[in-house]
Amino acid sequence: MQQAIDAAEAAPAIQTSTLAELGARLPIGIVGPDEAVHRDVECKEWRGREEREVEKLKRKTRQKGDFISRLLGYMFSRVGPFEFAAMQPAEIKAAISKLWRADAMYLYLWLRHECIGPDLDLELTCRHCGFRIAWQGDIRTLEVKTTDEPTGLNWTYEVARPFELRGTTIKSIGLRPSRWHLFEELARKAVAEGDTGVVSVDLIRDCIVALNGEPEGRPLVATDLDLMTKRDLERLSAEIDRRELGPDLSVTETCPRCSLQFQTSLDWGYASFFAISSRSTGGG
């Protein structure tokens, strides 16, 4: 069983910083036409005019993933090598979709920091007894995993139980970090919250770039991993999660009612995250 994890240990150098330390720079970055890595970003000032346009975007866009993509495309004037002011809406949308998920999430957090400020005033729910806890924090202290080697993020997973795929026995899988378009697609499919099995398989499929050391030229479909064992699915999903770069939104607290410690993730839904005080506001 240890073989599957050991084979996936090689990775580029990963650093951990805070949002305050990283500032207006992507945690991974974009390789531009000049083959250089571009990480600097710049957002607009959020005023009354921008607020009206964002409200229009909310009314036009029902899915969470699509709305966030449109929000980032509208509020950022520059992302890496892309000058959004000189691009058409469809080009901006495509550029956002191709971002690493870590970079897109960081843009979202940085926009909140720049336009509203660092203070977070949210509500957490104890996973043991359901007690709701008023929680205050500082977005500048959130940890962010970064790398200076965005071209070296691929890694290999040795399958514990080889499986058949299109007449070939699959023994190893090459993977890369997930792109933002996966979150957009999951939102469009309206995957039910808590249906982690479906989400995990979709995540794995999106990250696969090679099978048995050979580049996979076509995207995998939903049934391609049907013969992969539960053991491999869970271990591979955990390894993908362990290697995920970008901001860490997890919080560990002790419940004042039941006195048990619990870990949860900050509610980064727009209604909660982009409000000065969000304790009575639902996510979405």
Side-chain angles (χ1 to χ4, degrees), residues 193-221:
E193 185 176 356
D195 194 2
T196 55
V198 175
V199 173
S200 295
V201 173
D202 281 339
L203 174 62
I204 292 170
R205 288 195 296 109
D206 182 68
C207 293
I208 292 176
V209 293
L211 298 170
N212 293 340
E214 296 295 327
E216 180 60 19
R218 70 175 192 179
L220 299 183
V221 299

mmCIF file of all heavy atoms in Angstrom, residues 193-221:
data_model
loop_
_atom_site.group_PDB
_atom_site.id
_atom_site.type_symbol
_atom_site.label_atom_id
_atom_site.label_comp_id
_atom_site.label_asym_id
_atom_site.label_seq_id
_atom_site.Cartn_x
_atom_site.Cartn_y
_atom_site.Cartn_z
ATOM 1 N N GLU A 193 -23.962 19.367 -3.141
ATOM 2 C CA GLU A 193 -22.976 19.526 -2.075
ATOM 3 C C GLU A 193 -22.937 18.253 -1.239
ATOM 4 O O GLU A 193 -23.953 17.709 -0.842
ATOM 5 C CB GLU A 193 -23.350 20.706 -1.180
ATOM 6 C CG GLU A 193 -22.308 20.998 -0.116
ATOM 7 C CD GLU A 193 -22.640 22.237 0.692
ATOM 8 O OE1 GLU A 193 -23.645 22.893 0.363
ATOM 9 O OE2 GLU A 193 -21.899 22.521 1.631
ATOM 10 N N GLY A 194 -21.725 17.784 -0.978
ATOM 11 C CA GLY A 194 -21.570 16.556 -0.223
ATOM 12 C C GLY A 194 -21.413 15.329 -1.097
ATOM 13 O O GLY A 194 -21.082 14.262 -0.595
ATOM 14 N N ASP A 195 -21.631 15.444 -2.398
ATOM 15 C CA ASP A 195 -21.459 14.306 -3.308
ATOM 16 C C ASP A 195 -19.988 14.211 -3.671
ATOM 17 O O ASP A 195 -19.590 14.376 -4.804
ATOM 18 C CB ASP A 195 -22.323 14.510 -4.559
ATOM 19 C CG ASP A 195 -22.451 13.230 -5.387
ATOM 20 O OD1 ASP A 195 -21.894 12.197 -4.966
ATOM 21 O OD2 ASP A 195 -23.096 13.274 -6.439
ATOM 22 N N THR A 196 -19.153 13.939 -2.670
ATOM 23 C CA THR A 196 -17.705 14.021 -2.836
ATOM 24 C C THR A 196 -17.154 12.954 -3.759
ATOM 25 O O THR A 196 -16.095 13.139 -4.346
ATOM 26 C CB THR A 196 -17.011 13.920 -1.471
ATOM 27 O OG1 THR A 196 -17.454 12.721 -0.816
ATOM 28 C CG2 THR A 196 -17.368 15.116 -0.595
ATOM 29 N N GLY A 197 -17.855 11.814 -3.887
ATOM 30 C CA GLY A 197 -17.357 10.774 -4.778
ATOM 31 C C GLY A 197 -17.306 11.251 -6.211
ATOM 32 O O GLY A 197 -16.310 11.087 -6.908
ATOM 33 N N VAL A 198 -18.404 11.870 -6.675
ATOM 34 C CA VAL A 198 -18.448 12.386 -8.040
ATOM 35 C C VAL A 198 -17.428 13.492 -8.222
ATOM 36 O O VAL A 198 -16.696 13.545 -9.208
ATOM 37 C CB VAL A 198 -19.868 12.899 -8.370
ATOM 38 C CG1 VAL A 198 -19.885 13.558 -9.744
ATOM 39 C CG2 VAL A 198 -20.868 11.755 -8.322
ATOM 40 N N VAL A 199 -17.354 14.414 -7.254
ATOM 41 C CA VAL A 199 -16.413 15.527 -7.347
ATOM 42 C C VAL A 199 -14.982 15.011 -7.398
ATOM 43 O O VAL A 199 -14.160 15.483 -8.177
ATOM 44 C CB VAL A 199 -16.604 16.494 -6.167
ATOM 45 C CG1 VAL A 199 -15.522 17.558 -6.167
ATOM 46 C CG2 VAL A 199 -17.979 17.142 -6.240
ATOM 47 N N SER A 200 -14.650 14.018 -6.563
ATOM 48 C CA SER A 200 -13.291 13.480 -6.533
ATOM 49 C C SER A 200 -12.904 12.862 -7.864
ATOM 50 O O SER A 200 -11.790 13.071 -8.349
ATOM 51 C CB SER A 200 -13.168 12.439 -5.410
ATOM 52 O OG SER A 200 -13.329 13.033 -4.151
ATOM 53 N N VAL A 201 -13.791 12.079 -8.461
ATOM 54 C CA VAL A 201 -13.488 11.450 -9.744
ATOM 55 C C VAL A 201 -13.322 12.516 -10.829
ATOM 56 O O VAL A 201 -12.417 12.438 -11.662
ATOM 57 C CB VAL A 201 -14.582 10.445 -10.129
ATOM 58 C CG1 VAL A 201 -14.357 9.928 -11.548
ATOM 59 C CG2 VAL A 201 -14.596 9.274 -9.155
ATOM 60 N N ASP A 202 -14.183 13.533 -10.836
ATOM 61 C CA ASP A 202 -14.040 14.616 -11.805
ATOM 62 C C ASP A 202 -12.713 15.341 -11.630
ATOM 63 O O ASP A 202 -12.049 15.716 -12.598
ATOM 64 C CB ASP A 202 -15.192 15.614 -11.659
ATOM 65 C CG ASP A 202 -16.477 15.118 -12.316
ATOM 66 O OD1 ASP A 202 -16.384 14.246 -13.196
ATOM 67 O OD2 ASP A 202 -17.562 15.590 -11.941
ATOM 68 N N LEU A 203 -12.322 15.553 -10.381
ATOM 69 C CA LEU A 203 -11.047 16.216 -10.094
ATOM 70 C C LEU A 203 -9.884 15.383 -10.613
ATOM 71 O O LEU A 203 -8.967 15.910 -11.262
ATOM 72 C CB LEU A 203 -10.907 16.444 -8.589
ATOM 73 C CG LEU A 203 -9.568 16.998 -8.102
ATOM 74 C CD1 LEU A 203 -9.303 18.374 -8.705
ATOM 75 C CD2 LEU A 203 -9.537 17.074 -6.581
ATOM 76 N N ILE A 204 -9.918 14.093 -10.346
ATOM 77 C CA ILE A 204 -8.844 13.213 -10.803
ATOM 78 C C ILE A 204 -8.750 13.221 -12.332
ATOM 79 O O ILE A 204 -7.670 13.362 -12.903
ATOM 80 C CB ILE A 204 -9.065 11.776 -10.282
ATOM 81 C CG1 ILE A 204 -8.886 11.736 -8.758
ATOM 82 C CG2 ILE A 204 -8.087 10.801 -10.956
ATOM 83 C CD1 ILE A 204 -9.325 10.427 -8.120
ATOM 84 N N ARG A 205 -9.896 13.087 -12.995
ATOM 85 C CA ARG A 205 -9.898 13.070 -14.463
ATOM 86 C C ARG A 205 -9.308 14.361 -15.029
ATOM 87 O O ARG A 205 -8.547 14.345 -15.987
ATOM 88 C CB ARG A 205 -11.323 12.890 -14.992
ATOM 89 C CG ARG A 205 -11.910 11.520 -14.813
ATOM 90 C CD ARG A 205 -13.150 11.318 -15.675
ATOM 91 N NE ARG A 205 -14.240 12.188 -15.303
ATOM 92 C CZ ARG A 205 -14.659 13.224 -16.030
ATOM 93 N NH1 ARG A 205 -14.041 13.539 -17.169
ATOM 94 N NH2 ARG A 205 -15.685 13.961 -15.636
ATOM 95 N N ASP A 206 -9.656 15.497 -14.413
ATOM 96 C CA ASP A 206 -9.189 16.780 -14.912
ATOM 97 C C ASP A 206 -7.680 16.930 -14.768
ATOM 98 O O ASP A 206 -7.035 17.614 -15.563
ATOM 99 C CB ASP A 206 -9.890 17.916 -14.169
ATOM 100 C CG ASP A 206 -9.472 19.283 -14.677
ATOM 101 O OD1 ASP A 206 -9.818 19.624 -15.824
ATOM 102 O OD2 ASP A 206 -8.783 20.012 -13.927
ATOM 103 N N CYS A 207 -7.104 16.284 -13.758
ATOM 104 C CA CYS A 207 -5.669 16.438 -13.486
ATOM 105 C C CYS A 207 -4.789 15.472 -14.282
ATOM 106 O O CYS A 207 -3.567 15.655 -14.350
ATOM 107 C CB CYS A 207 -5.394 16.246 -11.992
ATOM 108 S SG CYS A 207 -6.098 17.527 -10.927
ATOM 109 N N ILE A 208 -5.378 14.446 -14.886
ATOM 110 C CA ILE A 208 -4.580 13.431 -15.589
ATOM 111 C C ILE A 208 -4.043 13.958 -16.910
ATOM 112 O O ILE A 208 -4.784 14.496 -17.725
ATOM 113 C CB ILE A 208 -5.426 12.159 -15.832
ATOM 114 C CG1 ILE A 208 -5.717 11.465 -14.498
ATOM 115 C CG2 ILE A 208 -4.699 11.195 -16.781
ATOM 116 C CD1 ILE A 208 -6.622 10.246 -14.623
ATOM 117 N N VAL A 209 -2.739 13.822 -17.098
ATOM 118 C CA VAL A 209 -2.101 14.245 -18.350
ATOM 119 C C VAL A 209 -1.340 13.110 -19.028
ATOM 120 O O VAL A 209 -0.913 13.247 -20.183
ATOM 121 C CB VAL A 209 -1.137 15.427 -18.112
ATOM 122 C CG1 VAL A 209 -1.903 16.671 -17.703
ATOM 123 C CG2 VAL A 209 -0.080 15.072 -17.062
ATOM 124 N N ALA A 210 -1.159 11.972 -18.338
ATOM 125 C CA ALA A 210 -0.418 10.858 -18.939
ATOM 126 C C ALA A 210 -0.873 9.545 -18.318
ATOM 127 O O ALA A 210 -1.293 9.495 -17.159
ATOM 128 C CB ALA A 210 1.089 11.033 -18.737
ATOM 129 N N LEU A 211 -0.795 8.469 -19.119
ATOM 130 C CA LEU A 211 -1.103 7.125 -18.663
ATOM 131 C C LEU A 211 0.059 6.220 -19.034
ATOM 132 O O LEU A 211 0.493 6.205 -20.194
ATOM 133 C CB LEU A 211 -2.398 6.614 -19.303
ATOM 134 C CG LEU A 211 -3.672 7.416 -18.977
ATOM 135 C CD1 LEU A 211 -4.829 6.941 -19.862
ATOM 136 C CD2 LEU A 211 -4.033 7.284 -17.497
ATOM 137 N N ASN A 212 0.580 5.506 -18.049
ATOM 138 C CA ASN A 212 1.751 4.638 -18.277
ATOM 139 C C ASN A 212 2.914 5.388 -18.918
ATOM 140 O O ASN A 212 3.632 4.864 -19.764
ATOM 141 C CB ASN A 212 1.368 3.434 -19.137
ATOM 142 C CG ASN A 212 0.425 2.482 -18.426
ATOM 143 O OD1 ASN A 212 0.328 2.479 -17.196
ATOM 144 N ND2 ASN A 212 -0.289 1.673 -19.195
ATOM 145 N N GLY A 213 3.070 6.645 -18.529
ATOM 146 C CA GLY A 213 4.191 7.434 -19.022
ATOM 147 C C GLY A 213 3.988 8.064 -20.377
ATOM 148 O O GLY A 213 4.859 8.806 -20.861
ATOM 149 N N GLU A 214 2.854 7.795 -21.015
ATOM 150 C CA GLU A 214 2.564 8.357 -22.330
ATOM 151 C C GLU A 214 1.544 9.490 -22.202
ATOM 152 O O GLU A 214 0.520 9.325 -21.536
ATOM 153 C CB GLU A 214 2.012 7.282 -23.267
ATOM 154 C CG GLU A 214 2.994 6.168 -23.579
ATOM 155 C CD GLU A 214 4.189 6.670 -24.367
ATOM 156 O OE1 GLU A 214 4.031 7.603 -25.190
ATOM 157 O OE2 GLU A 214 5.303 6.133 -24.153
ATOM 158 N N PRO A 215 1.808 10.642 -22.830
ATOM 159 C CA PRO A 215 0.845 11.753 -22.755
ATOM 160 C C PRO A 215 -0.532 11.324 -23.224
ATOM 161 O O PRO A 215 -0.676 10.617 -24.223
ATOM 162 C CB PRO A 215 1.451 12.803 -23.705
ATOM 163 C CG PRO A 215 2.906 12.477 -23.751
ATOM 164 C CD PRO A 215 2.997 10.978 -23.632
ATOM 165 N N GLU A 216 -1.553 11.731 -22.471
ATOM 166 C CA GLU A 216 -2.933 11.405 -22.822
ATOM 167 C C GLU A 216 -3.476 12.520 -23.702
ATOM 168 O O GLU A 216 -3.678 13.649 -23.255
ATOM 169 C CB GLU A 216 -3.783 11.248 -21.552
ATOM 170 C CG GLU A 216 -5.233 10.917 -21.797
ATOM 171 C CD GLU A 216 -5.433 9.599 -22.557
ATOM 172 O OE1 GLU A 216 -4.510 8.758 -22.596
ATOM 173 O OE2 GLU A 216 -6.527 9.428 -23.122
ATOM 174 N N GLY A 217 -3.701 12.204 -24.964
ATOM 175 C CA GLY A 217 -4.063 13.221 -25.934
ATOM 176 C C GLY A 217 -5.493 13.682 -25.878
ATOM 177 O O GLY A 217 -5.816 14.764 -26.350
ATOM 178 N N ARG A 218 -6.383 12.878 -25.301
ATOM 179 C CA ARG A 218 -7.798 13.272 -25.277
ATOM 180 C C ARG A 218 -8.301 13.308 -23.837
ATOM 181 O O ARG A 218 -7.847 12.534 -22.984
ATOM 182 C CB ARG A 218 -8.636 12.295 -26.084
ATOM 183 C CG ARG A 218 -8.771 10.920 -25.462
ATOM 184 C CD ARG A 218 -9.712 10.038 -26.266
ATOM 185 N NE ARG A 218 -10.065 8.827 -25.539
ATOM 186 C CZ ARG A 218 -10.890 7.896 -26.006
ATOM 187 N NH1 ARG A 218 -11.401 8.038 -27.208
ATOM 188 N NH2 ARG A 218 -11.171 6.830 -25.291
ATOM 189 N N PRO A 219 -9.225 14.207 -23.530
ATOM 190 C CA PRO A 219 -9.772 14.283 -22.168
ATOM 191 C C PRO A 219 -10.478 12.980 -21.810
ATOM 192 O O PRO A 219 -11.145 12.369 -22.644
ATOM 193 C CB PRO A 219 -10.759 15.456 -22.242
ATOM 194 C CG PRO A 219 -10.344 16.246 -23.443
ATOM 195 C CD PRO A 219 -9.788 15.248 -24.413
ATOM 196 N N LEU A 220 -10.331 12.551 -20.589
ATOM 197 C CA LEU A 220 -11.021 11.351 -20.134
ATOM 198 C C LEU A 220 -12.493 11.660 -19.907
ATOM 199 O O LEU A 220 -12.858 12.760 -19.500
ATOM 200 C CB LEU A 220 -10.392 10.843 -18.836
ATOM 201 C CG LEU A 220 -8.915 10.435 -18.890
ATOM 202 C CD1 LEU A 220 -8.466 9.899 -17.543
ATOM 203 C CD2 LEU A 220 -8.672 9.394 -19.979
ATOM 204 N N VAL A 221 -13.339 10.675 -20.156
ATOM 205 C CA VAL A 221 -14.773 10.837 -19.934
ATOM 206 C C VAL A 221 -15.143 10.224 -18.588
ATOM 207 O O VAL A 221 -14.329 9.576 -17.931
ATOM 208 C CB VAL A 221 -15.593 10.194 -21.073
ATOM 209 C CG1 VAL A 221 -15.264 10.859 -22.399
ATOM 210 C CG2 VAL A 221 -15.328 8.687 -21.151
#
